[in-house]
């Protein structure tokens, strides 16, 4: 047992009561509703922490964590981490670390940052966007509301131009992609074989240019990149299309809200400086 485990065990034996039967409940979580969030989950030195406290802690790690869907082992890891964090924080306060200037400055830094972000977020959420504004923005920025083309490609990558040329001859003469792909890792075989849908942003520029020139079922000549020599066959193409106003509305609302929020922040900040009589005393 290392020193961390010793310290944790001493703290546990000194007054930690763990009510977390959650790990056991996880095996039947799909069959029953989670317990109420006001239920006391953990007591540490007489201080209670509810299930709601723990779930809010998880949201700070990752808002997308679905605790009740995690394996029991992962649930237990999160519970252990929560307990350990609380224990170390209690020990730090007991030693007066929270009163040290450097620590106090870090606490204030993160506290102020969190509050400032939360307040600005609340201001932004209160901004109203009119239907006319959305329609006008859409009409003036039509080119911004188009889908990217999608290319269904079969892609083979070879080390040398000779290997790529030989493979292309077989392919264009009736050989199948699957047959060529099976040779991956063999002598003269491809080092990469994949078939999937690609959008422009995930294609190398050299491959995008080649894909744009292909007709359906056509195969490129060997395309060189820093990775080697590529062969592409276009299986299908989904061209770019204009999004409708309805499809574009959620994105436009976000854009307009951000634009208005930027102006609102500047105005509110200047007002706060006046109201609170901000004075700088430079050395």
């Amino acid at each position: 047992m290392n020193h961390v485990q010793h310290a944790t065990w001493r703290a546990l034996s000194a007054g930690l009561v763990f009510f977390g039967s959650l790990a056991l409940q996880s095996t039947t979580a799909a069959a029953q509703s989670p317990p109420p969030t006001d239920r006391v989950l953990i007591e540490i030195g007489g201080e209670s922490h509810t299930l709601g406290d723990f779930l809010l802690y998880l949201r700070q790690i990752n808002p997308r964590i679905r605790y009740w869907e995690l394996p029991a082992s992962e649930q237990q890891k999160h519970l252990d981490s929560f307990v350990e964090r609380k224990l170390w924080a209690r020990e730090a306060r007991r030693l007066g670390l929270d009163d040290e200037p450097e620590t106090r400055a870090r606490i204030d830094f993160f506290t102020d940052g969190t509050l400032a972000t939360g307040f600005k977020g609340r201001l932004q959420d209160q901004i109203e966007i009119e239907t006319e504004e959305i329609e006008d923005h859409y009409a003036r920025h039509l080119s911004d509301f188009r889908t990217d083309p999608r290319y269904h490609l079969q892609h083979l990558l070879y080390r040398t131009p000779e290997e790529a040329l030989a493979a292309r001859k077989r392919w264009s003469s009736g050989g199948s992609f699957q047959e060529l792909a099976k040779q991956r890792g063999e002598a003269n075989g491809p080092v990469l074989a994949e078939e999937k849908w690609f959008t422009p942003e995930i294609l190398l520029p050299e491959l995008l240019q080649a894909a744009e020139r292909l007709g359906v079922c056509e195969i490129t000549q060997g395309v060189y990149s820093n990775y080697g020599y590529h062969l592409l066959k276009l299986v299908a193409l989904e061209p770019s299309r204009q999004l409708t106003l309805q499809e574009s509305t959620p994105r436009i609302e976000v854009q307009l809200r951000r634009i208005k929020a930027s102006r609102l922040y500047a105005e509110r900040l200047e007002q706060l400086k006046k109201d609170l009589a901000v004075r700088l005393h430079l050395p």
Side-chain angles (χ1 to χ4, degrees), residues 28-54:
T28 58
Q32 64 183 13
S33 300
T37 55
D38 60 354
R39 164 191 168 179
V40 174
L41 175 65
I42 299 168
E43 288 184 10
I44 302 177
E47 181 181 359
S48 297
H49 302 278
T50 66
L51 174 59
D53 296 333
F54 173 64

Side-chain angles (χ1 to χ4, degrees), residues 51-75:
L51 174 59
D53 296 333
F54 173 64
L55 295 178
L56 284 173
Y57 157 79
L58 290 181
R59 281 182 58 82
Q60 312 317 306
I61 299 174
N62 183 349
R64 296 183 179 181
I65 288 180
R66 297 181 179 273
Y67 180 77
W68 306 108
E69 297 176 10
L70 295 176
S73 59
E74 289 299 310
Q75 290 185 347

Side-chain angles (χ1 to χ4, degrees), residues 8 11 15 35 106 184 208 220 258:
T8 302
R106 292 193 66 197
R184 180 179 178 182
L208 176 58
T220 62
R258 286 176 177 170

Side-chain angles (χ1 to χ4, degrees), residues 7 17 31 41 45 61 63-64 68 72 95 125 144 149 165 170 177 181 229 255 260 264 278:
V17 180
L41 175 65
I61 299 174
R64 296 183 179 181
W68 306 108
L95 295 176
D125 291 341
D144 292 342
L165 179 61
R170 287 181 55 192
F177 169 78
Y229 295 84
Q255 291 177 347
K260 288 189 172 184
L264 179 61
V278 175

Side-chain angles (χ1 to χ4, degrees), residues 30-210:
Q32 64 183 13
S33 300
T37 55
D38 60 354
R39 164 191 168 179
V40 174
L41 175 65
I42 299 168
E43 288 184 10
I44 302 177
E47 181 181 359
S48 297
H49 302 278
T50 66
L51 174 59
D53 296 333
F54 173 64
L55 295 178
L56 284 173
Y57 157 79
L58 290 181
R59 281 182 58 82
Q60 312 317 306
I61 299 174
N62 183 349
R64 296 183 179 181
I65 288 180
R66 297 181 179 273
Y67 180 77
W68 306 108
E69 297 176 10
L70 295 176
S73 59
E74 289 299 310
Q75 290 185 347
Q76 191 63 53
K77 284 181 182 178
H78 284 301
L79 285 165
D80 291 344
S81 177
F82 180 76
V83 171
E84 183 175 319
R85 191 182 184 94
K86 292 296 182 184
L87 289 172
W88 290 132
R90 284 179 65 89
E91 285 297 283
R93 292 188 186 95
R94 185 180 65 81
L95 295 176
L97 268 64
D98 53 332
D99 290 327
E100 292 183 355
E102 185 69 26
T103 304
R104 189 73 255 162
R106 292 193 66 197
I107 292 172
D108 290 344
F109 177 83
F110 288 109
T111 299
D112 290 347
T114 300
L115 289 172
T117 300
F119 180 74
K120 290 169 69 177
R122 181 164 296 185
L123 282 180
Q124 181 169 313
D125 291 341
Q126 294 171 351
I127 294 172
E128 295 184 359
I129 306 297
E130 301 294 337
T131 302
E132 293 78 9
E133 295 178 278
I134 295 173
E135 294 172 347
D136 178 66
H137 187 87
Y138 176 76
R140 289 187 295 106
H141 300 88
L142 277 176
S143 61
D144 292 342
F145 302 102
R146 296 190 62 86
T147 63
D148 286 329
R150 296 176 72 229
Y151 304 90
H152 183 182
L153 297 172
Q154 292 174 337
H155 174 212
L156 297 168
L157 173 64
Y158 291 88
R159 299 177 185 85
T160 68
E162 293 78 15
E163 291 173 346
L165 179 61
R168 188 183 188 282
K169 287 181 179 178
R170 287 181 55 192
W171 203 359
S172 59
S173 298
S176 72
F177 169 78
Q178 289 73 22
E179 291 172 349
L180 293 168
K182 285 180 181 178
Q183 295 180 329
R184 180 179 178 182
E186 298 178 4
N188 301 322
V191 294
L192 174 66
E194 58 181 350
E195 178 177 357
K196 62 182 180 180
W197 285 95
F198 292 87
T199 52
E201 67 269 15
I202 62 175
L203 278 170
L204 292 171
E206 302 92 332
L207 300 186
L208 176 58
Q209 292 175 11

